[in-house]
Amino acid sequence: MMSTSFNRHVVLIVDDVPDNLAVLSDALDESGHIVLVATDGAGALERLQRITPDLILLDAVMPGMDGFETCRRIKLLKHVDQIPVVFMTGLTETEHVVKGFQVGGIDYVTKPIRPQEIVARIGAHIRTARMMSQARGVIDAGANAVIVLNANGMPLWQSNKASYWLEKYFAVGRDQAGITKLPPRLQSWLNESLALQQHGGQAAEPLIVTCDDGVLSVRLERNERTAELTLLLNEKPPVQMQAERIAASAGPQLDQYRLTPRETDVLNWLAKGKTNRDIAEILGMSPRTVNKHLEHIFIKLGVETRSAAVGMAIHHLHAGF
């Protein structure tokens, strides 16, 4: 697939009027852009299988598949769903403008075409899209996936990792995992969580969803300054979730073995699957000191290995100690 990593930005123009294509192509070419064209929606979708433009300039009114339907289908293509789409339209009634935004458009310009205005808007939207792409990359590289909501709980944006986990844990298709609607189970939990916050100021318990190879937790965060809400999604293997539950209760469960507070801390992090070096960094001690604590833990618990120590914690947890 063609890359747009070079300096000149690629703009795909979709319009069935040759004169419009000529005027726009000349203006964008003179401003330093690489211009690609399609004369209908089907042609645009076919081109997007081979290229990834920086922006799509899309005529709203075309024979056959109109611009609104073309944009809707573009937003279902995972590799280009974040590309900004700017509508060109002579339809200035509110319902048409709203429809353009509903199907994923980011802006619109009215006909007759004013090339200089279009060039300026394209430049601004491409710069914004590049910054958003970098921000999404940082978010997706983290442990959490993110769904941003407005103050009323309506989805505004979600990271790619969030889309993937919605599909995986809530069995929704790509077209249902977009930003316009949450899966029913997640929406129900969100409504209950918002009600708790509004009436009692209580923090809602995370939503836990499991599947064969993972456990997804969802928690709600509120930005007090902007009133925006954020859903933070985090996935862990089932074994890690079990280890964390063990770690959380290991201290009181194992009092009979007279572990010191520091030994209890080490055992807690051991149950979370951390290495000696990890534990040393977390607790601010040397790896050698961690080894010493483990030796004492093994003696007190009557075990000889790390796995046996964790197994002892599991045994006492299930035994109800």
Side-chain angles (χ1 to χ4, degrees):
M1 182 171 292
M2 176 179 171
S3 170
T4 62
S5 60
F6 39 82
N7 292 331
R8 297 180 68 193
H9 297 132
V10 176
V11 177
L12 173 62
I13 306 173
V14 188
D15 198 321
D16 64 310
V17 180
D19 288 345
N20 290 343
L21 290 174
V23 171
L24 289 169
S25 294
D26 289 345
L28 290 170
D29 186 64
E30 288 177 6
S31 63
H33 295 84
I34 295 174
V35 179
L36 304 172
V37 300
T39 57
D40 56 29
L45 294 170
E46 193 274 332
R47 282 219 156 203
L48 289 172
Q49 298 299 327
R50 304 192 311 273
I51 61 102
T52 303
D54 294 285
L55 183 138
I56 300 168
L57 196 56
L58 178 59
D59 188 20
V61 180
M62 296 183 293
M65 187 191 308
D66 66 15
F68 301 119
E69 176 61 16
T70 301
C71 185
R72 189 189 71 81
R73 295 192 187 189
I74 288 172
K75 294 303 176 180
L76 297 180
L77 301 175
K78 185 170 282 190
H79 67 287
V80 293
D81 63 351
Q82 300 297 332
I83 301 300
V85 176
V86 176
F87 278 100
M88 300 180 292
T89 179
L91 305 172
T92 56
E93 291 85 354
T94 299
E95 62 181 292
H96 296 122
V97 174
V98 170
K99 186 175 182 181
F101 287 117
Q102 286 177 335
V103 296
I106 195 172
D107 198 0
Y108 73 98
V109 294
T110 57
K111 295 180 178 180
I113 293 170
R114 293 181 290 273
Q116 288 184 331
E117 176 187 342
I118 290 180
V119 169
R121 290 191 184 221
I122 284 175
H125 286 306
I126 288 177
R127 287 192 296 272
T128 300
R130 285 290 174 91
M131 289 188 291
M132 288 296 296
S133 178
Q134 292 174 350
R136 284 191 292 268
V138 171
I139 291 171
D140 281 329
N144 288 310
V146 177
I147 302 175
V148 179
L149 313 171
N150 65 17
N152 296 319
M154 296 298 294
L156 299 174
W157 177 83
Q158 64 194 33
S159 65
N160 287 334
K161 188 181 288 186
S163 296
Y164 172 74
W165 284 344
L166 288 182
E167 294 177 37
K168 178 178 178 180
Y169 286 93
F170 295 93
V172 295
R174 176 65 183 173
D175 58 333
Q176 296 173 281
I179 64 171
T180 58
K181 188 177 181 181
L182 296 175
R185 181 179 178 187
L186 180 56
Q187 185 67 59
S188 177
W189 171 84
L190 175 62
N191 293 341
E192 293 176 2
S193 301
L194 290 174
L196 275 175
Q197 287 189 356
Q198 290 172 357
H199 293 100
Q202 302 176 12
E205 289 293 323
L207 173 66
I208 305 297
V209 185
T210 62
C211 69
D212 291 341
D213 60 346
V215 179
L216 182 73
S217 66
V218 184
R219 78 176 188 273
L220 177 64
E221 298 286 342
R222 180 186 293 274
N223 186 318
E224 298 298 335
R225 183 175 61 84
T226 65
E228 281 190 350
L229 303 166
T230 304
L231 296 179
L232 299 179
L233 291 70
N234 187 270
E235 183 184 51
K236 297 174 182 176
V239 173
Q240 184 178 349
M241 288 293 290
Q242 183 185 40
E244 291 188 1
R245 287 194 295 269
I246 292 167
S249 56
Q253 307 290 344
L254 299 173
D255 281 347
Q256 61 180 303
Y257 294 99
R258 299 186 183 279
L259 299 182
T260 68
R262 212 54 169 161
E263 290 166 353
T264 301
D265 289 340
V266 171
L267 181 58
N268 284 349
W269 289 110
L270 183 69
K272 291 182 180 181
K274 299 298 184 181
T275 66
N276 286 16
R277 184 172 296 277
D278 291 335
I279 297 172
E281 291 179 357
I282 293 169
L283 298 180
M285 60 180 66
S286 69
R288 183 170 181 176
T289 302
V290 173
N291 285 332
K292 284 293 183 182
H293 283 308
L294 287 175
E295 289 176 6
H296 296 157
I297 291 169
F298 295 165
I299 291 172
K300 291 180 179 181
L301 296 183
V303 298
E304 297 181 356
T305 64
R306 299 167 67 92
S307 59
V310 174
M312 179 73 75
I314 294 174
H315 168 75
H316 283 278
L317 177 65
H318 292 309
F321 284 92

